[in-house]
């Protein structure tokens, strides 16, 4: 994929602030580990803007699809998982659900390895080596996306002001 553009960066940051806390809660990740995962996903999807792989690496194939750009047998498994649950594979919630399901089952060793990382670089590398396993790695780009993800998670929106009670100033 490519480097984030200003508009992509803003929507990517918003997506990270939405997805990051869920990944931390649902998969037991730290912010650094979630950012390593989000950076890889951001790289794969152009900042969460592309569901379908733009130029499939395998000529004649359907290419990657969804949040993790699942390809080949993993794409078929995603589609079967969605069908079994009556979900649309294009629905972002279906993609998130499958990501978590895959990391808890067939990709559990990748999740276990990710949970042992303590730096952003290690988390990012662990995700591309153990989970994404891309044909084109582009480690510097993945790390750049991960840095943006971590910044979004740490510089998230300010907490809302406490609600005022009626009759109070």
């Amino acid at each position: 994929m490519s480097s984030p553009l200003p508009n992509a960066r803003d929507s990517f940051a918003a997506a990270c602030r939405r997805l990051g806390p869920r990944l931390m809660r649902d998969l037991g990740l730290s912010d650094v580990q979630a950012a390593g995962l989000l950076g890889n996903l951001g790289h794969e999807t152009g900042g969460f803007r592309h569901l379908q792989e733009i130029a499939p690496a395998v000529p004649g194939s359907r290419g990657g699809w969804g949040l993790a750009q699942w390809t080949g047998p993993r794409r078929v498994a995603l589609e079967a998982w969605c069908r079994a649950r009556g979900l649309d594979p294009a629905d972002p919630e279906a993609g998130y659900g499958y990501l978590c399901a895959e990391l808890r089952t067939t990709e559990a060793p990748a999740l276990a390895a990710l949970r042992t990382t303590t730096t952003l670089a290690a988390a990012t590398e662990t995700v591309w080596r153990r989970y994404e396993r891309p044909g084109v790695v582009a480690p510097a780009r993945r790390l750049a996306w991960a840095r943006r993800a971590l910044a979004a998670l740490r510089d998230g929106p300010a907490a809302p002001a406490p609600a005022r009670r009626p009759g109070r100033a």
Side-chain angles (χ1 to χ4, degrees):
M1 288 285 150
S2 60
S3 297
L5 302 172
N7 289 345
R9 190 176 303 134
D10 295 341
S11 63
F12 176 70
C16 289
R17 284 190 293 271
R18 187 178 68 254
L19 292 171
R22 293 177 70 189
L23 290 168
M24 289 185 275
R25 179 194 68 222
D26 296 343
L27 297 176
L29 301 177
S30 69
D31 62 346
V32 167
Q33 295 160 351
L37 179 55
L38 290 166
N40 275 275
L41 300 176
H43 173 74
E44 292 289 331
T45 62
F48 302 120
R49 293 177 300 135
H50 306 293
L51 271 178
Q52 175 65 49
E53 185 176 6
I54 294 171
V58 178
S61 75
R62 295 186 303 153
W65 177 264
L67 194 57
Q69 292 293 287
W70 290 284
T71 307
R74 288 174 76 185
R75 179 175 177 160
V76 171
L78 158 73
E79 293 164 343
W81 186 88
C82 288
R83 240 185 343 272
R85 288 157 181 78
L87 302 173
D88 178 355
D91 180 343
E93 283 302 308
Y96 179 82
Y98 185 71
L99 174 77
C100 290
E102 189 180 50
L103 282 165
R104 289 181 184 126
T105 59
T106 58
E107 298 294 329
L111 178 59
L114 177 58
R115 286 179 178 150
T116 69
T117 63
T118 58
T119 67
L120 186 61
T124 304
E125 182 175 346
T126 296
V127 172
W128 62 257
R129 282 190 189 276
R130 303 288 302 268
Y131 180 69
E132 284 289 340
R133 302 182 297 274
V136 177
V137 177
R141 289 184 186 161
R142 290 174 189 277
L143 186 55
W145 281 105
R147 285 185 182 121
R148 288 181 174 93
L150 185 59
L153 291 175
R154 290 187 172 170
D155 298 334
R164 290 176 55 189
R165 291 184 181 166
R168 301 262 172 146

